[in-house]
Amino acid sequence: MQTNTLYYGDCLEVMEKFPDSCVDLIYLDPPFNSKTDYNCFFPNTISGESGAHLAQMMAFGDTWSWDASAYDRVNHISNASLHPAHKAIRSFTEIIPESGALAYLSYMAERLAKMRQILKPHGSIYLHCDHTMNHYLKILMDNIFGPDKFQNDITWKRTTSRSDGKRYGRISDSILYYASNQSTWQNQYEKDGLAVSGDREIPLTGAGASVGESGKPWKGYDPAASGRGRHWAVPKTGTYAKWIEENLIPGYTQIESVHERLDALDSQGLIRFSKNGVPNLFRPAEASNSGPKVNDIWMDISLESSNEYVKDYPTRKPVSLVERIIQASLPKGGVILDPFCGCGTTIEAAHNLNCDWIGIDISPYAINLIERHRMKGLEIQVRGVPTDMSGAKRLASDNPFDFEKWAVCRIPGLAPNDKQVGDGGIDGRGILLQKPGDFDSKLVLAQVKGGKHNASALRDFLGVIDSNKAAMGIYITLDSVSSHHAHSAILEKGTIQFGASKFPRAQLWSIEDYFKQQPPKMPPLADPYTGKEMLPWLY
C-alpha cells in the first residue's frame, strides 16, 4: 500500500494486496444499481458538430444483471458461514432471488467485507448511496460492521428541485456512517453556509500560478515552483480575517501586501509548516465555532452551490461535502481511502486539507481525468495502468474493453466512445480546435485493435471515417504495423490543411509508439473537459 497514489483496477483486487488495519477513514460513493449508463458530455463551447452522439463519452455503467458471476458470488458467500455478510446475503436470497439487485448486493458484500479488514479498529466508514439500495445496504453494513457501529443515516440535500412525475421529487442521498465510540470525532459547525470544525489547519495557497506578489516565494516556499502551480491565498476579507483583526492583529484587513500579511500571521503563530514543508494557516476553534452544530440533515452543501472544475462527471459530489467528512473523522496523520474514487473529489478534498489519501477506480477514463485534469500539475503516483509494453499486452489480453479506453486516452484530446459493443467501428472521438482549411468538419475518430493487424478491419475503419465525414482518423494498434498495403491504404486518404501545415487524414499509431514517446501527427485538439486548447503532449 502506498499513500497519495491512484490505483487502477477492481477495488477488491487492489485491496486484497493491502495489509490489515491500514486505513483510518473510508469514504465510498459506489454505483447505486440505478439501472443507468452514465455518460459525460463535451461542454457546449466545443459543440457544433452534427449528431448528439458526438458529445458523449462513457463514464461507467450502473446496470446490474443476474449472471454466472453473480451466481458464484452469492453461492460462495451463502456457503461461507464465517463470511461477514453471510446472514445478510442468505436473507436477501429469500427477498430478491436471482435478480440484478442481488447481483449488486453480493458485489458490494465482497468489497465491504474487505474494507472492514483493512479499516483500523477505531476507523470510520461513510457509504454514500441513494434511495435505490440504501435500505438493503444498511442491513449489509449492519451485518459486516456490526449494528453497534452504526452512528448515522445522514440525509444530504444534493439539489434544490427535481421533477419525478407522479411522486415526490427525489432530491437527497443517504450517507451511512459507521464507527466505534473510540473513533476520531470533531464536531462540525455551520458558518457562512459551510461546515467547519474546531482547531484545524487550512491551505494558504490556491490553485493557479500568479505573476504578482501572490506568486513570489516566502520563507523559502515557492507556491509556483515546478509541480505546484499555485499562489498565495492569504485571507484579507471574510469572517476569519475580521476575527484576526479583532482579536490578534489590529488593522489586519487594511494590510495590502501579501507578504506583509504572511509576516503578521506568522508573528502570531498562525502559520504552521507541514512535515513536507508546506505552510498552512492555523484556525483556532474559537474563530470557527460560532454557528450551529451540523446534524444529520445536510442542507448547506449542494451541487448547485458547488463551483468546481469537473462539472460534467455524472455522479460528482462537492469537494466541501468530503472535506466535512475528513475534518470530522480523520485523525491527524491518518489516511483516507476512496475505493470508487471516480472523478477524484475525495482526492482533491484530502489534498486541500493536507491529508494522505488512496484512490482506486476501475475506469481508465476516471484515472485519466484525475491525473491529467483534476490534479493537473501535481506529481502523483498511478499504479495498475500499463507502464510498458508487457503491461499493455496484459491489459489487452485480460480486459480488451479497458484496453480500448486506456489506449484512446493516450492521445490527449480523445475520449472513449460512449459504448463499446455495436459501436460502429468507433472507439474514441475528439474535436479539432479549428476546422481544417480544406475540410468542413472538426471530428476526429479513433479505433483500437489489441490483437494482430487485420487488413479488413483497417479497410472498414477507413470507410467509417468517410461515412462520418470526419476530418481525421487514428487507427491505434498494440504493436506497430509494418504492412506495406496498410501504409498504402492510409496514404490514399490524403491530407488535411491546418494553417501552413499538412497532416495525414488517416494514420497508423501504436502503443509501441506511445512508449517510444512518438506522438501521432495531429493539429491541436480541444480539451474534452474544458473546450480549450489541449495541453502539449504528456507522457
Side-chain angles (χ1 to χ4, degrees):
M1 186 193 78
Q2 184 171 327
T3 59
N4 303 323
T5 298
L6 280 174
Y7 288 86
Y8 162 68
D10 185 330
C11 64
L12 178 62
E13 296 176 1
V14 175
M15 291 187 298
E16 283 176 344
K17 300 175 183 178
F18 291 176
D20 293 351
S21 304
C22 62
V23 296
D24 303 89
L25 172 63
I26 298 175
Y27 169 79
L28 64 151
D29 180 20
F32 295 164
N33 191 34
S34 61
K35 297 179 172 56
T36 300
D37 285 334
Y38 289 102
N39 293 283
C40 297
F41 295 87
F42 287 119
N44 291 332
T45 53
I46 56 174
S47 62
E49 299 291 337
S50 61
H53 67 280
L54 178 63
Q56 293 189 19
M57 47 185 174
M58 180 76 168
F60 63 89
D62 191 15
T63 302
W64 299 81
S65 59
W66 185 256
D67 55 19
S69 296
Y71 173 83
D72 288 342
R73 283 196 304 268
V74 171
N75 190 51
H76 167 72
I77 297 173
S78 297
N79 291 336
S81 60
L82 296 181
H83 192 285
H86 169 75
K87 292 181 180 179
I89 294 299
R90 286 288 296 270
S91 299
F92 291 156
T93 58
E94 300 297 324
I95 305 170
I96 43 176
E98 298 189 358
S99 62
L102 185 58
Y104 170 76
L105 290 167
S106 62
Y107 170 90
M108 289 302 301
E110 285 185 330
R111 284 146 187 82
L112 287 169
K114 180 56 62 175
M115 291 176 211
R116 190 190 77 164
Q117 186 175 341
I118 66 174
L119 187 66
K120 292 182 179 179
H122 299 320
S124 305
I125 181 169
Y126 291 75
L127 192 160
H128 198 129
C129 52
D130 71 357
H131 67 282
T132 313
M133 287 281 114
N134 62 342
H135 47 303
Y136 292 122
L137 288 170
K138 171 67 167 58
I139 296 172
L140 193 58
M141 293 282 281
D142 280 350
N143 197 186
I144 293 174
F145 292 93
D148 59 313
K149 301 296 192 300
F150 173 71
Q151 301 295 336
N152 292 104
D153 182 352
I154 300 163
T155 298
W156 171 49
K157 183 182 177 182
R158 60 178 292 133
T159 186
T160 55
S161 63
R162 173 173 169 168
S163 176
D164 268 334
K166 295 182 179 181
R167 60 183 169 194
Y168 302 108
R170 295 170 296 181
I171 61 173
S172 66
D173 284 354
S174 291
I175 304 175
L176 302 175
Y177 166 42
Y178 283 72
S180 72
N181 292 331
Q182 292 77 40
S183 298
T184 295
W185 176 256
Q186 285 279 349
N187 284 331
Q188 301 290 295
Y189 299 87
E190 294 182 7
K191 191 177 185 71
D192 298 332
L194 297 175
V196 296
S197 65
D199 289 352
R200 63 178 184 144
E201 295 180 12
I202 58 179
L204 260 174
T205 61
S210 172
V211 297
E213 187 188 13
S214 62
K216 304 299 182 184
W218 177 80
K219 285 204 169 182
Y221 184 83
D222 185 355
S226 175
R228 297 193 182 106
R230 297 175 69 82
H231 67 279
W232 295 112
V234 188
K236 183 175 182 292
T237 60
T239 305
Y240 187 38
K242 291 180 181 178
W243 182 89
I244 293 172
E245 184 171 59
E246 293 171 358
N247 294 274
L248 296 176
I249 308 173
Y252 171 79
T253 61
Q254 305 304 311
I255 302 175
E256 295 296 332
S257 168
V258 173
H259 283 193
E260 288 181 11
R261 289 203 304 277
L262 286 167
D263 289 336
L265 293 170
D266 190 43
S267 69
Q268 295 295 321
L270 294 179
I271 295 180
R272 301 181 178 182
F273 285 81
S274 72
K275 60 183 179 181
N276 296 323
V278 178
N280 298 304
L281 181 62
F282 176 70
R283 183 168 183 160
E286 59 266 28
S288 302
N289 298 347
S290 58
K293 179 183 174 183
V294 173
N295 294 301
D296 65 356
I297 299 179
W298 296 1
M299 302 178 64
D300 56 330
I301 300 171
S302 69
L303 289 173
E304 285 93 342
S305 64
S306 175
N307 182 24
E308 294 168 20
Y309 181 81
V310 186
K311 289 291 187 184
D312 295 311
Y313 196 86
T315 59
R316 70 192 186 280
K317 303 299 182 295
V319 170
S320 53
L321 182 82
V322 185
E323 286 181 342
R324 172 176 291 178
I325 291 170
I326 292 174
Q327 291 168 351
S329 296
L330 185 66
K332 187 176 179 61
V335 178
I336 178 173
L337 164 69
D338 187 339
F340 299 90
C341 66
C343 65
T345 301
T346 298
I347 293 168
E348 182 174 344
H351 174 75
N352 290 345
L353 298 172
N354 296 307
C355 302
D356 288 335
W357 53 267
I358 300 168
I360 309 172
D361 205 275
I362 199 170
S363 166
Y365 161 71
I367 298 295
N368 188 69
L369 173 62
I370 298 169
E371 181 185 15
R372 291 189 174 180
H373 296 271
R374 183 148 208 167
M375 306 303 288
K376 181 175 61 180
L378 297 177
E379 294 183 4
I380 58 176
Q381 297 292 322
V382 180
R383 295 197 171 187
V385 296
T387 57
D388 53 27
M389 281 299 294
S390 63
K393 290 178 179 179
R394 185 165 55 250
L395 180 61
S397 174
D398 294 346
N399 197 324
F401 286 158
D402 276 0
F403 173 75
E404 286 179 7
K405 290 186 284 186
W406 174 81
V408 166
C409 290
R410 295 314 90 203
I411 300 178
L414 293 188
N417 194 30
D418 57 316
K419 62 178 182 177
Q420 294 178 284
V421 177
D423 55 16
I426 301 170
D427 295 321
R429 304 171 188 267
I431 298 178
L432 296 173
L433 201 63
Q434 300 175 13
K435 285 184 179 180
D438 54 351
F439 224 85
D440 194 36
S441 172
K442 296 189 290 183
L443 176 62
V444 179
L445 299 179
Q447 187 176 101
V448 180
K449 294 298 177 185
K452 293 183 178 181
H453 167 61
N454 184 302
S456 63
L458 173 60
R459 186 168 54 251
D460 291 344
F461 176 64
L462 295 177
V464 167
I465 298 173
D466 289 334
S467 63
N468 283 268
K469 298 180 180 179
M472 296 187 74
I474 311 295
Y475 190 75
I476 305 173
T477 56
L478 183 57
D479 298 300
S480 297
V481 175
S482 58
S483 166
H484 172 74
H485 293 292
H487 285 272
S488 296
I490 290 291
L491 289 174
E492 289 177 2
K493 303 308 293 182
T495 60
I496 60 170
Q497 189 80 29
F498 201 89
S501 303
K502 289 186 177 182
F503 298 88
R505 187 177 175 219
Q507 58 187 299
L508 301 168
W509 187 74
S510 68
I511 297 303
E512 186 177 350
D513 293 328
Y514 169 72
F515 285 118
K516 290 179 180 179
Q517 301 189 16
Q518 297 173 353
K521 298 178 177 63
M522 301 179 68
L525 270 70
D527 188 319
Y529 310 101
T530 67
K532 300 178 181 179
E533 182 172 356
M534 195 65 215
L535 290 172
W537 187 263
L538 298 174
Y539 284 94

